[in-house]
PDB file of all heavy atoms in Angstrom:
ATOM      1  N   LEU K 410       5.406 -13.579  -9.004  1.00 95.00           N
ATOM      2  CA  LEU K 410       5.921 -14.810  -8.417  1.00 95.00           C
ATOM      3  C   LEU K 410       6.660 -14.530  -7.112  1.00 95.00           C
ATOM      4  O   LEU K 410       6.597 -15.322  -6.167  1.00 95.00           O
ATOM      5  CB  LEU K 410       6.847 -15.517  -9.404  1.00 95.00           C
ATOM      6  CG  LEU K 410       6.159 -16.250 -10.556  1.00 95.00           C
ATOM      7  CD1 LEU K 410       7.170 -16.680 -11.607  1.00 95.00           C
ATOM      8  CD2 LEU K 410       5.390 -17.466 -10.031  1.00 95.00           C
ATOM      9  N   GLY K 411       7.376 -13.393  -7.061  1.00 95.00           N
ATOM     10  CA  GLY K 411       8.035 -13.011  -5.818  1.00 95.00           C
ATOM     11  C   GLY K 411       7.027 -12.753  -4.712  1.00 95.00           C
ATOM     12  O   GLY K 411       7.232 -13.149  -3.554  1.00 95.00           O
ATOM     13  N   ARG K 412       5.922 -12.109  -5.048  1.00 96.00           N
ATOM     14  CA  ARG K 412       4.857 -11.878  -4.058  1.00 96.00           C
ATOM     15  C   ARG K 412       4.293 -13.208  -3.564  1.00 96.00           C
ATOM     16  O   ARG K 412       4.049 -13.389  -2.368  1.00 96.00           O
ATOM     17  CB  ARG K 412       3.748 -11.017  -4.675  1.00 96.00           C
ATOM     18  CG  ARG K 412       4.160  -9.586  -4.984  1.00 96.00           C
ATOM     19  CD  ARG K 412       2.997  -8.808  -5.581  1.00 96.00           C
ATOM     20  NE  ARG K 412       1.851  -8.801  -4.665  1.00 96.00           N
ATOM     21  CZ  ARG K 412       0.644  -8.323  -4.983  1.00 96.00           C
ATOM     22  NH1 ARG K 412       0.428  -7.819  -6.190  1.00 96.00           N
ATOM     23  NH2 ARG K 412      -0.330  -8.360  -4.095  1.00 96.00           N
ATOM     24  N   ARG K 413       4.088 -14.121  -4.504  1.00 96.00           N
ATOM     25  CA  ARG K 413       3.556 -15.431  -4.128  1.00 96.00           C
ATOM     26  C   ARG K 413       4.542 -16.172  -3.222  1.00 96.00           C
ATOM     27  O   ARG K 413       4.147 -16.847  -2.262  1.00 96.00           O
ATOM     28  CB  ARG K 413       3.278 -16.243  -5.396  1.00 96.00           C
ATOM     29  CG  ARG K 413       2.807 -17.669  -5.140  1.00 96.00           C
ATOM     30  CD  ARG K 413       1.440 -17.742  -4.481  1.00 96.00           C
ATOM     31  NE  ARG K 413       1.063 -19.085  -4.166  1.00 96.00           N
ATOM     32  CZ  ARG K 413       0.460 -19.931  -5.004  1.00 96.00           C
ATOM     33  NH1 ARG K 413       0.190 -19.533  -6.251  1.00 96.00           N
ATOM     34  NH2 ARG K 413       0.131 -21.139  -4.618  1.00 96.00           N
ATOM     35  N   ALA K 414       5.836 -16.038  -3.509  1.00 95.00           N
ATOM     36  CA  ALA K 414       6.845 -16.710  -2.691  1.00 95.00           C
ATOM     37  C   ALA K 414       6.836 -16.188  -1.261  1.00 95.00           C
ATOM     38  O   ALA K 414       7.042 -16.940  -0.310  1.00 95.00           O
ATOM     39  CB  ALA K 414       8.225 -16.530  -3.311  1.00 95.00           C
ATOM     40  N   ALA K 415       6.601 -14.880  -1.098  1.00 94.00           N
ATOM     41  CA  ALA K 415       6.537 -14.312   0.252  1.00 94.00           C
ATOM     42  C   ALA K 415       5.339 -14.857   1.015  1.00 94.00           C
ATOM     43  O   ALA K 415       5.380 -14.997   2.240  1.00 94.00           O
ATOM     44  CB  ALA K 415       6.458 -12.788   0.164  1.00 94.00           C
ATOM     45  N   HIS K 416       4.292 -15.187   0.288  1.00 94.00           N
ATOM     46  CA  HIS K 416       3.085 -15.724   0.917  1.00 94.00           C
ATOM     47  C   HIS K 416       3.197 -17.218   1.179  1.00 94.00           C
ATOM     48  O   HIS K 416       2.799 -17.702   2.240  1.00 94.00           O
ATOM     49  CB  HIS K 416       1.875 -15.441   0.011  1.00 94.00           C
ATOM     50  CG  HIS K 416       0.616 -16.094   0.478  1.00 94.00           C
ATOM     51  ND1 HIS K 416      -0.061 -15.697   1.613  1.00 94.00           N
ATOM     52  CD2 HIS K 416      -0.094 -17.139  -0.043  1.00 94.00           C
ATOM     53  CE1 HIS K 416      -1.129 -16.456   1.770  1.00 94.00           C
ATOM     54  NE2 HIS K 416      -1.174 -17.341   0.798  1.00 94.00           N
ATOM     55  N   ASP K 417       3.766 -17.967   0.221  1.00 94.00           N
ATOM     56  CA  ASP K 417       3.864 -19.424   0.350  1.00 94.00           C
ATOM     57  C   ASP K 417       5.116 -19.896  -0.391  1.00 94.00           C
ATOM     58  O   ASP K 417       5.055 -20.336  -1.531  1.00 94.00           O
ATOM     59  CB  ASP K 417       2.610 -20.085  -0.236  1.00 94.00           C
ATOM     60  CG  ASP K 417       2.526 -21.576   0.093  1.00 94.00           C
ATOM     61  OD1 ASP K 417       3.548 -22.143   0.541  1.00 94.00           O
ATOM     62  OD2 ASP K 417       1.462 -22.174  -0.116  1.00 94.00           O
ATOM     63  N   LEU K 418       6.253 -19.778   0.291  1.00 93.00           N
ATOM     64  CA  LEU K 418       7.530 -20.111  -0.332  1.00 93.00           C
ATOM     65  C   LEU K 418       7.598 -21.586  -0.708  1.00 93.00           C
ATOM     66  O   LEU K 418       8.138 -21.944  -1.758  1.00 93.00           O
ATOM     67  CB  LEU K 418       8.680 -19.757   0.610  1.00 93.00           C
ATOM     68  CG  LEU K 418      10.092 -20.047   0.102  1.00 93.00           C
ATOM     69  CD1 LEU K 418      10.363 -19.310  -1.212  1.00 93.00           C
ATOM     70  CD2 LEU K 418      11.135 -19.655   1.152  1.00 93.00           C
ATOM     71  N   ALA K 419       7.029 -22.458   0.120  1.00 93.00           N
ATOM     72  CA  ALA K 419       7.084 -23.887  -0.155  1.00 93.00           C
ATOM     73  C   ALA K 419       6.390 -24.229  -1.467  1.00 93.00           C
ATOM     74  O   ALA K 419       6.882 -25.048  -2.260  1.00 93.00           O
ATOM     75  CB  ALA K 419       6.462 -24.668   0.994  1.00 93.00           C
ATOM     76  N   ALA K 420       5.245 -23.586  -1.720  1.00 93.00           N
ATOM     77  CA  ALA K 420       4.497 -23.860  -2.945  1.00 93.00           C
ATOM     78  C   ALA K 420       5.271 -23.397  -4.174  1.00 93.00           C
ATOM     79  O   ALA K 420       5.312 -24.087  -5.199  1.00 93.00           O
ATOM     80  CB  ALA K 420       3.127 -23.181  -2.886  1.00 93.00           C
ATOM     81  N   VAL K 421       5.891 -22.226  -4.087  1.00 93.00           N
ATOM     82  CA  VAL K 421       6.652 -21.711  -5.215  1.00 93.00           C
ATOM     83  C   VAL K 421       7.896 -22.571  -5.455  1.00 93.00           C
ATOM     84  O   VAL K 421       8.267 -22.844  -6.604  1.00 93.00           O
ATOM     85  CB  VAL K 421       7.042 -20.233  -4.981  1.00 93.00           C
ATOM     86  CG1 VAL K 421       7.970 -19.731  -6.081  1.00 93.00           C
ATOM     87  CG2 VAL K 421       5.791 -19.359  -4.924  1.00 93.00           C
ATOM     88  N   THR K 422       8.528 -23.004  -4.380  1.00 91.00           N
ATOM     89  CA  THR K 422       9.705 -23.862  -4.518  1.00 91.00           C
ATOM     90  C   THR K 422       9.338 -25.184  -5.179  1.00 91.00           C
ATOM     91  O   THR K 422      10.069 -25.688  -6.045  1.00 91.00           O
ATOM     92  CB  THR K 422      10.339 -24.120  -3.146  1.00 91.00           C
ATOM     93  OG1 THR K 422      10.709 -22.879  -2.544  1.00 91.00           O
ATOM     94  CG2 THR K 422      11.578 -25.003  -3.268  1.00 91.00           C
ATOM     95  N   GLN K 423       8.213 -25.751  -4.796  1.00 91.00           N
ATOM     96  CA  GLN K 423       7.771 -27.010  -5.408  1.00 91.00           C
ATOM     97  C   GLN K 423       7.426 -26.811  -6.882  1.00 91.00           C
ATOM     98  O   GLN K 423       7.682 -27.681  -7.713  1.00 91.00           O
ATOM     99  CB  GLN K 423       6.566 -27.572  -4.658  1.00 91.00           C
ATOM    100  CG  GLN K 423       6.152 -28.955  -5.147  1.00 91.00           C
ATOM    101  CD  GLN K 423       5.093 -29.582  -4.277  1.00 91.00           C
ATOM    102  OE1 GLN K 423       4.469 -28.916  -3.457  1.00 91.00           O
ATOM    103  NE2 GLN K 423       4.874 -30.866  -4.428  1.00 91.00           N
ATOM    104  N   LEU K 424       6.856 -25.635  -7.189  1.00 90.00           N
ATOM    105  CA  LEU K 424       6.547 -25.326  -8.586  1.00 90.00           C
ATOM    106  C   LEU K 424       7.832 -25.202  -9.406  1.00 90.00           C
ATOM    107  O   LEU K 424       7.902 -25.658 -10.553  1.00 90.00           O
ATOM    108  CB  LEU K 424       5.754 -24.016  -8.659  1.00 90.00           C
ATOM    109  CG  LEU K 424       5.370 -23.513 -10.064  1.00 90.00           C
ATOM    110  CD1 LEU K 424       4.397 -24.479 -10.720  1.00 90.00           C
ATOM    111  CD2 LEU K 424       4.756 -22.113  -9.973  1.00 90.00           C
ATOM    112  N   ALA K 425       8.850 -24.594  -8.803  1.00 88.00           N
ATOM    113  CA  ALA K 425      10.124 -24.396  -9.513  1.00 88.00           C
ATOM    114  C   ALA K 425      10.923 -25.681  -9.626  1.00 88.00           C
ATOM    115  O   ALA K 425      11.560 -25.944 -10.655  1.00 88.00           O
ATOM    116  CB  ALA K 425      10.949 -23.334  -8.789  1.00 88.00           C
ATOM    117  N   PHE K 426      10.900 -26.482  -8.583  1.00 84.00           N
ATOM    118  CA  PHE K 426      11.706 -27.709  -8.550  1.00 84.00           C
ATOM    119  C   PHE K 426      10.844 -28.918  -8.212  1.00 84.00           C
ATOM    120  O   PHE K 426      10.999 -29.508  -7.143  1.00 84.00           O
ATOM    121  CB  PHE K 426      12.839 -27.575  -7.527  1.00 84.00           C
ATOM    122  CG  PHE K 426      13.693 -26.354  -7.705  1.00 84.00           C
ATOM    123  CD1 PHE K 426      13.629 -25.302  -6.796  1.00 84.00           C
ATOM    124  CD2 PHE K 426      14.549 -26.243  -8.778  1.00 84.00           C
ATOM    125  CE1 PHE K 426      14.415 -24.173  -6.945  1.00 84.00           C
ATOM    126  CE2 PHE K 426      15.345 -25.119  -8.941  1.00 84.00           C
ATOM    127  CZ  PHE K 426      15.277 -24.085  -8.029  1.00 84.00           C
ATOM    128  N   PRO K 427       9.929 -29.308  -9.089  1.00 83.00           N
ATOM    129  CA  PRO K 427       9.129 -30.505  -8.809  1.00 83.00           C
ATOM    130  C   PRO K 427      10.023 -31.736  -8.760  1.00 83.00           C
ATOM    131  O   PRO K 427      10.990 -31.828  -9.531  1.00 83.00           O
ATOM    132  CB  PRO K 427       8.154 -30.563  -9.997  1.00 83.00           C
ATOM    133  CG  PRO K 427       8.821 -29.781 -11.078  1.00 83.00           C
ATOM    134  CD  PRO K 427       9.599 -28.706 -10.384  1.00 83.00           C
ATOM    135  N   PRO K 428       9.745 -32.672  -7.854  1.00 69.00           N
ATOM    136  CA  PRO K 428      10.623 -33.848  -7.712  1.00 69.00           C
ATOM    137  C   PRO K 428      10.836 -34.597  -9.017  1.00 69.00           C
ATOM    138  O   PRO K 428      11.929 -35.062  -9.310  1.00 69.00           O
ATOM    139  CB  PRO K 428       9.870 -34.714  -6.691  1.00 69.00           C
ATOM    140  CG  PRO K 428       9.012 -33.750  -5.927  1.00 69.00           C
ATOM    141  CD  PRO K 428       8.622 -32.682  -6.899  1.00 69.00           C
ATOM    142  N   GLU K 429       9.788 -34.677  -9.857  1.00 60.00           N
ATOM    143  CA  GLU K 429       9.913 -35.455 -11.087  1.00 60.00           C
ATOM    144  C   GLU K 429      10.762 -34.754 -12.131  1.00 60.00           C
ATOM    145  O   GLU K 429      11.196 -35.366 -13.110  1.00 60.00           O
ATOM    146  CB  GLU K 429       8.529 -35.736 -11.679  1.00 60.00           C
ATOM    147  CG  GLU K 429       7.756 -34.501 -12.118  1.00 60.00           C
ATOM    148  CD  GLU K 429       6.966 -33.852 -10.993  1.00 60.00           C
ATOM    149  OE1 GLU K 429       7.193 -34.234  -9.829  1.00 60.00           O
ATOM    150  OE2 GLU K 429       6.146 -32.976 -11.285  1.00 60.00           O
ATOM    151  N   ALA K 430      11.011 -33.435 -11.946  1.00 56.00           N
ATOM    152  CA  ALA K 430      11.781 -32.683 -12.938  1.00 56.00           C
ATOM    153  C   ALA K 430      13.280 -32.766 -12.698  1.00 56.00           C
ATOM    154  O   ALA K 430      14.064 -32.345 -13.532  1.00 56.00           O
ATOM    155  CB  ALA K 430      11.352 -31.221 -12.938  1.00 56.00           C
TER     156      ALA K 430
END
Side-chain angles (χ1 to χ4, degrees):
L410 284 169
R412 292 180 58 188
R413 176 66 184 274
H416 173 70
D417 191 346
L418 180 58
V421 174
T422 301
Q423 186 172 14
L424 179 65
F426 307 109
E429 64 274 11

